[in-house]
Amino acid sequence: IKRIGVLTSGGDAPGMNAAIRAVVRAGLHHGLEVYGIYDGYLGLHQDRIVKLERHSVSDVVNRGGTFLGSARFPAFKDPAVRAEAIENLKKHGIDALVVIGGDGSYMGAKKLTEEGFPCIGLPGTIDNDIAGTDFTIGFDTALNVVVDAIDRLRDTCSSHHRISVVEIMGRHCGDLAMSAAVAGGAEYVIVPEVAFDKEKLLQQIKEGEVKGKKHAIITICEHVTDVNALAKDIEAMTGRETRATILGHIQRGGAPTARDRIMSSRMGAYAVEQLLAGHGGRCVGIQRNELVHHDIIDCIENMKRPFDQELYNLSTTLF
Ligand code: ADP
């Protein structure tokens, strides 16, 4: 291969810039030409493709978001649209594509690979919900943002003897909520992987009060239940002021942590090495701190993310 493309797709995540930079710099190091595609599969379809130089990725390693832009482009599910996208890649003489994104983006990469255009996926999402990797790009940064928010809520909850319900992102993966619960010392954690029992939660809060707890923090993953309604129920039961805080997109922004920058850089350079070794149709991950690659089709169709039962147990033991 001589020319590779790189795009970011789906929800953005801090560290995507560091990953793009690594793909560009590692590509140039190995004598490849690297092309950047703006706004994910949308820009690929619209042929917004530019050659990236060493300098194109200067001063981005520390920046959140993605300078290439990202997009949701549902039309990419249409094979005819993908055929036009492949034509654009061929027109520029691009032989392989690095896709940085979440599982939706992996799906697009899988389809392109099946249709004859080799792609390699990098896990870019704060949700940590991708199989074949222990961590995704952006997870560590988001976790630090969430823990900082919990620390702030704790101060004011403690002063006012208030109960705080904190809604945390993760889509259908409780990793961010569980990790934040342990790091932030939350009393209760609610994740999609464990059936939510509201009555049991209310009971536990009551027991906590008997033990003398003057405030409480409940971390809950998004999409489990309506947090405002839950806060009302808790307030009605305890007679204690209870507030829900939805952290929302705050969790997706900000400068990536050193850990995210290093992991993104490693993954980006590794992706280029895999392409050079002729390994298309792969997705990159990190497992037990070692870089790994898996078949992207197998990853989407068969691999499951293991639930971190130990971390969940820890979060329920330490409160
Ligand atoms: P994420 O990558 O963060 O999971 P999405 O699920 O929105 O975000 O996916 C990002 C993009 O990937 C979509 O807007 C679409 O362009 C593409 N995509 C998602 N699912 C498919 C699919 N089944 N086939 C082809 N492309 C897809």
Side-chain angles (χ1 to χ4, degrees):
I1 61 165
K2 291 198 167 54
R3 289 183 185 174
I4 61 172
V6 57
L7 61 78
T8 46
S9 164
D12 66 342
M16 280 183 161
N17 279 325
I20 300 166
R21 172 177 173 272
V23 170
V24 172
R25 297 264 166 102
L28 295 177
H29 174 81
H30 291 292
L32 299 174
E33 287 182 13
V34 187
Y35 285 73
I37 295 137
Y38 287 107
D39 296 333
Y41 296 127
L42 175 71
L44 180 58
H45 185 244
Q46 294 174 340
D47 195 19
R48 289 191 281 122
I49 302 176
V50 295
K51 190 164 176 221
L52 298 176
E53 309 292 350
R54 213 195 142 275
H55 229 68
S56 317
V57 290
S58 297
D59 298 326
V60 303
V61 73
N62 56 326
R63 275 163 49 195
T66 158
F67 82 93
L68 284 176
S70 189
R72 310 266 183 199
F73 182 51
F76 209 65
K77 290 180 185 163
D78 178 353
V81 169
R82 289 199 300 273
E84 285 166 6
I86 291 178
E87 276 314 303
N88 289 337
L89 288 162
K90 287 191 174 149
K91 204 164 68 189
H92 292 273
I94 298 170
D95 313 300
L97 180 65
V98 180
V99 171
I100 308 168
D103 59 357
S105 305
Y106 270 26
M107 203 61 158
K110 164 187 137 93
K111 295 267 169 70
L112 290 178
T113 301
E114 283 174 340
E115 286 153 6
F117 198 90
C119 294
I120 193 155
L122 295 196
T125 167
I126 67 163
D127 297 330
N128 220 38
D129 62 348
I130 303 216
T133 188
D134 294 341
F135 297 107
T136 57
I137 292 169
F139 173 73
D140 186 63
T141 305
L143 175 58
N144 279 279
V145 170
V146 174
V147 171
D148 179 64
I150 291 175
D151 288 349
R152 288 163 197 267
L153 286 167
R154 173 189 294 279
D155 289 347
T156 174
C157 281
S158 173
S159 308
H160 289 267
H161 313 303
R162 204 187 279 138
I163 296 173
S164 191
V165 181
V166 191
E167 188 189 282
I168 296 166
M169 280 185 159
R171 284 213 306 177
H172 306 295
C173 175
D175 285 10
L176 198 51
M178 288 192 293
S179 305
V182 172
E187 272 77 11
Y188 310 98
V189 59
I190 301 160
V191 291
E193 294 90 342
V194 179
F196 175 46
D197 182 343
K198 191 172 79 179
E199 293 314 315
K200 189 171 157 211
L201 174 72
L202 294 176
Q203 179 66 29
Q204 286 174 328
I205 294 172
K206 197 135 211 127
E207 286 165 12
E209 287 208 306
V210 173
K211 277 195 239 167
K213 276 188 181 294
K214 300 250 180 309
H215 66 93
I217 295 169
I218 299 156
T219 52
I220 176 167
C221 182
E222 62 183 341
H223 305 311
V224 174
T225 189
D226 180 328
V227 289
N228 286 304
L230 178 62
K232 280 210 177 83
D233 288 345
I234 294 170
E235 185 164 294
M237 194 267 302
T238 58
R240 225 180 253 286
E241 187 188 357
T242 306
R243 292 265 186 97
T245 303
I246 298 172
L247 297 179
H249 278 181
I250 300 275
Q251 297 163 93
R252 288 241 296 256
T257 57
R259 190 163 284 277
D260 263 331
R261 295 181 204 187
I262 294 167
M263 193 183 73
S264 306
S265 301
R266 290 176 70 192
M267 286 181 168
Y270 186 70
V272 172
E273 284 165 21
Q274 295 318 309
L275 289 175
L276 283 168
H279 299 156
R282 313 296 293 179
C283 55
V284 168
I286 194 158
Q287 289 176 317
R288 297 169 187 265
N289 202 28
E290 279 203 29
L291 292 163
V292 293
H293 57 91
H294 300 281
D295 186 277
I296 197 166
I297 296 168
D298 194 36
C299 172
I300 298 227
E301 289 179 354
N302 308 316
M303 288 166 61
K304 248 185 89 71
R305 248 203 97 71
F307 175 60
D308 194 341
Q309 188 71 48
E310 190 207 322
L311 188 65
Y312 179 78
N313 291 347
L314 185 66
S315 68
T316 59
T317 318
L318 299 185
F319 81 90

